[in-house]
Amino acid sequence: MNSEPVLQLENLVKRYDREVLNIERLTLHRGKIYGIIGPSGSGKSTLLRIVNLLVKPDQGVIRYFGRSYNGAGDTLFLRRQMTLVFQKTLLFKTTVFENVAYGLKARGFKKREIRDRVYVLLDKVGLRGMAHRQAGTLSGGEAQRVALARAIAFEPKLLLLDEPTANLDPANVELMEKLILDRKMTADMTIAMVTHNIFQARRVADEVIFLYNGRVAEMGNVEQVFTAPQNPQTREFIEGRMIY
Ligand SMILES: Nc1ncnc2c1ncn2[C@@H]1O[C@H](COP(=O)(O)OP(=O)(O)OP(=O)(O)O)[C@@H](O)[C@H]1O
Ligand SMILES: [Mg+2]
């Protein structure tokens, strides 16, 4: 039995100079980790940007938590339910501590509680000792861990990750994957993670979505998609035979 839907897309279309996304139907269920894979240009980032309300679709229906969103009105409530972490982190030009505290302040926590929670999060990402460093002085891997801690501090219902480990060394990739998989930390979050790395999708995801030319070419349980893909393109892609 699937848990309740967090996100439902219907006939979602986005065109730039050509159609780049066309999703007939896609549902993300609560508490699952989705790995979104597909060749470069297949629409993975566009999909996350639309879901995160950064980009408007040309057509289609989006339902968040069972309620349809028509593209108008107050989005503050929705924006508080989801966070997008990019490949290239944009941290605020302040300390590590303040970066992580930001989400907690936004959620109205008292000063003392903010401090306690920030240190718990920094412990988790292995950066307690860097709380008072300026974010701009961090290495790429450290910055990305701060970005994840900041995102998780919001306790979003939907955590969107766009290639969060693309520029990291293997040790930092492993750390990030551990954090994502630490379901005590990400309790109750539905996670949609775009990754170029099919091995990472296999390690992290419960369900895999394969985008091809802006369409969902395949979706299913991670083992099923990797061991018995239904779509020939999926097979080519996961076997590394797809040229793009
Ligand atoms: N603002 C834009 N204006 C015009 N075309 C765009 C814009 N944003 C994206 N595109 C095009 O839409 C298509 C999908 O882009 P998108 O960034 O979603 O792909 P992607 O799957 O994330 O690729 P990658 O794996 O390289 O990050 C691409 O052909 C891209 O050039
Ligand atoms: Mg992308």
Side-chain angles (χ1 to χ4, degrees):
M1 253 277 293
N2 271 323
S3 55
E4 66 196 76
V6 164
L7 179 74
Q8 291 160 288
L9 308 177
E10 268 169 46
N11 299 316
L12 193 78
V13 175
K14 179 68 192 172
R15 295 181 205 94
Y16 287 115
D17 44 338
R18 61 184 179 92
E19 187 181 280
V20 297
L21 206 61
N22 186 335
I23 295 186
E24 265 175 48
R25 195 169 278 277
L26 181 68
T27 302
L28 305 191
H29 293 277
R30 184 170 152 190
K32 290 220 157 113
I33 301 181
Y34 294 85
I36 302 172
I37 59 172
S40 192
S42 57
K44 305 181 298 296
S45 295
T46 303
L47 173 60
L48 291 194
R49 282 164 198 271
I50 289 173
V51 169
N52 199 44
L53 308 173
L54 290 169
V55 168
K56 279 204 163 95
D58 293 301
Q59 215 176 288
V61 178
I62 309 181
R63 274 194 204 89
Y64 298 94
F65 318 105
R67 279 193 301 188
S68 74
Y69 172 67
N70 63 7
D74 185 12
T75 58
L76 187 64
F77 168 78
L78 274 180
R79 286 180 194 280
R80 285 192 170 165
Q81 312 292 313
M82 48 194 178
T83 315
L84 174 56
V85 176
F86 298 92
Q87 171 177 344
K88 185 98 181 48
T89 296
L90 291 168
L91 291 177
F92 307 123
K93 284 201 173 83
T94 175
T95 61
V96 168
F97 181 96
E98 289 299 330
N99 265 278
V100 179
Y102 181 84
L104 299 166
K105 283 184 182 160
R107 289 169 58 220
F109 283 108
K110 299 266 181 313
K111 224 172 164 172
R112 205 202 145 89
E113 186 158 19
I114 289 175
R115 203 189 57 209
D116 293 346
R117 284 179 180 246
V118 167
Y119 279 109
V120 168
L121 283 158
L122 288 179
D123 264 338
K124 290 272 188 195
V125 299
L127 294 174
R128 173 184 268 266
M130 295 192 187
H132 298 293
R133 279 268 292 275
Q134 286 295 311
T137 69
L138 300 175
S139 75
E142 290 158 357
Q144 206 58 335
R145 274 141 65 196
V146 172
L148 189 62
R150 181 179 64 185
I152 289 171
F154 277 97
E155 291 185 10
K157 295 273 184 293
L158 181 56
L159 178 61
L160 306 165
L161 307 170
D162 195 350
E163 302 196 43
T165 67
N167 292 323
L168 306 185
D169 61 82
N172 272 297
V173 170
E174 198 184 331
L175 259 168
M176 289 285 285
E177 288 181 5
K178 275 210 180 107
L179 293 169
I180 293 161
L181 284 168
D182 180 352
R183 299 309 259 159
K184 282 202 287 297
M185 266 243 305
T186 55
D188 212 28
M189 287 181 206
T190 304
I191 302 177
M193 172 159 125
V194 165
T195 177
H196 255 116
N197 183 331
I198 53 165
F199 302 104
Q200 178 166 61
R202 199 163 185 174
R203 287 192 296 269
V204 173
D206 303 309
E207 303 278 320
V208 172
I209 298 159
F210 176 60
L211 279 188
Y212 188 69
N213 285 340
R215 291 166 186 263
V216 177
E218 179 138 4
M219 175 168 182
N221 169 272
V222 62
E223 278 316 308
Q224 181 237 303
V225 170
F226 278 102
T227 55
Q230 303 297 302
N231 183 306
Q233 272 95 30
T234 317
R235 183 177 291 276
E236 267 184 47
F237 186 73
I238 64 180
E239 289 176 358
R241 288 186 287 115
M242 185 174 276
I243 311 289
Y244 58 89

